[in-house]
Amino acid sequence: MDTKSTPPPRPHQIPNPSRPDFLACWAAASPSKPMLAFHFLRALSRIHGVTTVRRRTRTIRRAAYSSMARAASPRRAWSRALLGQARARRSRTLTGRAVLLRRRRITAAAPPQPSSPASRSATIIAARGEISTAAARPLPPRQEGEPPRADALRRLVPGGAGMEYCSLLEETADYLRSLRAQVQLMQGLIDLFSCQ
Amino acid sequence: MSSRRSSRGAISDEEINELISKLQSLLPNSRRRGSSQASTTKLLKETCNYIKSLHREVDDLSDRLSDLMSTMDHNSPGAEIVRSILRS
C-alpha cells in the first residue's frame, strides 16, 4: 500500500496530468480508495453509447453502488447483497423478456385460452417474486436493544433484513464509510472534470 | 471481525455500546454527550437520516456526472487523466 503524504489539491487548481496528485493524496486516507477509484472509473469508461440522460444517470448510479461493493471486502454482507441485487436485476430483465417471448409463441401456436394472460403475468410475477423475496427476507428482528429504529436501518442498509442487531451495527458502520468514500470520489471527479 | 462474542445468544451490552459509539464517531456532527445510553434511539435516527442523505447525494452527483460526461471533450486533460489511471 503506497501512500504519499502530499497536501490535498484545492479544487481550483488545474491538475497536472503527468503527476497523479489527486489520486495519491486521496489514497492516503484509506487503503481501499484506489480500488474504489479503479472500479468506478472503469465502469464509467464503459458508458459510451447510452444516449438518454436519464438512463445514463441511472447507469452511473448503479455503477457507483456496484463499484463500491466490488471495492469492499467480500466478507461484508452489504457488498454481497448489493452485487446480488445487481445480478438479479440483470437476470430479471432477461427472464422477463424470455418468458414473454415464450408465452407469445405458445399462445400464437395454440388456441388462445382465457387464462393465458393471467398465467403469463403470473409467471412473470412469480419470477420477480422469487427474486424479491430472496432479496428481502421478512425475518423477525432480534430485539436486543432498539426494535423500531433498527427496522428502518435494516431497510436502508443492503442485506440488512437477515442480520442480527450486532452485525447490523457493524455493517452499517462499514457501509457508511464506503458511502462517504464513494461520495468523496464522485465529488472529486466532478471537480476534476469541471475545471478544464 | 474484531468483536468477540461469548456465545451465540449472549451478546454483551458493552459490545453493543462499543459499536454504537463507533457509529457515533462516523456521523458528521457527533456531539460528545455525557451518557450515550439515553441517545441511542436518536443516534440510530441520525444514522438513518445520514444514510438517506448520502443516497440522495449519490443520486445528485451521478446526475451531475452524467451531464459532465455528455459535454466532455475526448481530448481534454481530464480524459487523459482517466486514461492514464486506467492504464497503470
Side-chain angles (χ1 to χ4, degrees), chain A residues 95-108:
Chain A
T95 310
R97 283 198 195 130
V99 168
L100 260 181
L101 287 174
R102 209 179 306 140
R103 284 288 169 182
R104 275 188 195 149
R105 282 194 207 113
I106 290 177
T107 52

Side-chain angles (χ1 to χ4, degrees), chain A residues 53 56-57 60-61 65 75 146 149 156 164 166 170 172-173 175-176 180 183 186-187 190 193 196, chain B residues 1 3 8 19 26 41 44-45 47-48 50 55 57 59 61-64 66 69-70 77-78 82:
Chain A
V53 176
R56 197 186 313 140
T57 309
I60 291 183
R61 196 184 68 220
Y65 285 115
R75 284 184 304 148
E146 302 291 324
R149 286 301 162 188
L156 280 177
E164 296 177 353
C166 204
E170 276 196 58
T172 308
Y175 184 58
L176 262 186
R180 224 170 30 188
V183 164
M186 291 171 83
Q187 183 70 51
I190 287 179
F193 289 153
Q196 297 300 328
Chain B
M1 296 263 186
S3 66
R8 200 63 192 147
L19 289 172
L26 278 177
T41 314
L44 286 185
K45 189 166 104 167
T47 309
C48 287
Y50 188 43
H55 283 174
E57 211 167 324
D59 290 346
L61 286 177
S62 52
D63 201 19
R64 284 165 66 181
S66 136
M69 281 181 68
S70 59
V82 173

Side-chain angles (χ1 to χ4, degrees), chain A residues 120-175:
Chain A
R120 178 173 63 204
S121 54
T123 317
I124 297 178
I125 289 176
R128 284 196 190 144
E130 268 177 28
I131 298 168
S132 62
T133 49
R137 268 172 260 129
L139 273 183
R142 322 290 170 88
Q143 305 199 0
E144 295 288 341
E146 302 291 324
R149 286 301 162 188
D151 280 344
L153 200 58
R154 274 176 215 275
R155 261 179 274 130
L156 280 177
V157 174
M163 272 187 231
E164 296 177 353
Y165 184 56
C166 204
S167 331
L168 181 68
L169 292 180
E170 276 196 58
E171 295 285 326
T172 308
D174 197 63
Y175 184 58

Side-chain angles (χ1 to χ4, degrees), chain A residues 30-152:
Chain A
S30 158
S32 67
K33 286 192 177 180
M35 289 308 298
L36 198 65
F38 169 71
H39 284 295
F40 188 54
L41 287 174
R42 191 174 63 169
L44 276 188
S45 66
R46 287 185 190 147
I47 301 176
H48 278 312
V50 186
T51 50
T52 324
V53 176
R54 193 176 303 174
R55 205 170 287 177
R56 197 186 313 140
T57 309
R58 209 166 51 190
T59 315
I60 291 183
R61 196 184 68 220
R62 285 179 191 162
Y65 285 115
S66 298
S67 60
M68 199 168 77
R70 285 209 187 91
S73 160
R75 284 184 304 148
R76 291 296 170 185
W78 64 261
S79 77
R80 290 196 300 266
L82 270 181
L83 291 177
Q85 279 174 20
R87 214 177 305 130
R89 197 186 306 125
R90 279 196 297 269
S91 69
R92 178 178 65 197
T93 319
L94 294 173
T95 310
R97 283 198 195 130
V99 168
L100 260 181
L101 287 174
R102 209 179 306 140
R103 284 288 169 182
R104 275 188 195 149
R105 282 194 207 113
I106 290 177
T107 52
Q113 302 166 11
S115 61
S116 61
S119 62
R120 178 173 63 204
S121 54
T123 317
I124 297 178
I125 289 176
R128 284 196 190 144
E130 268 177 28
I131 298 168
S132 62
T133 49
R137 268 172 260 129
L139 273 183
R142 322 290 170 88
Q143 305 199 0
E144 295 288 341
E146 302 291 324
R149 286 301 162 188
D151 280 344

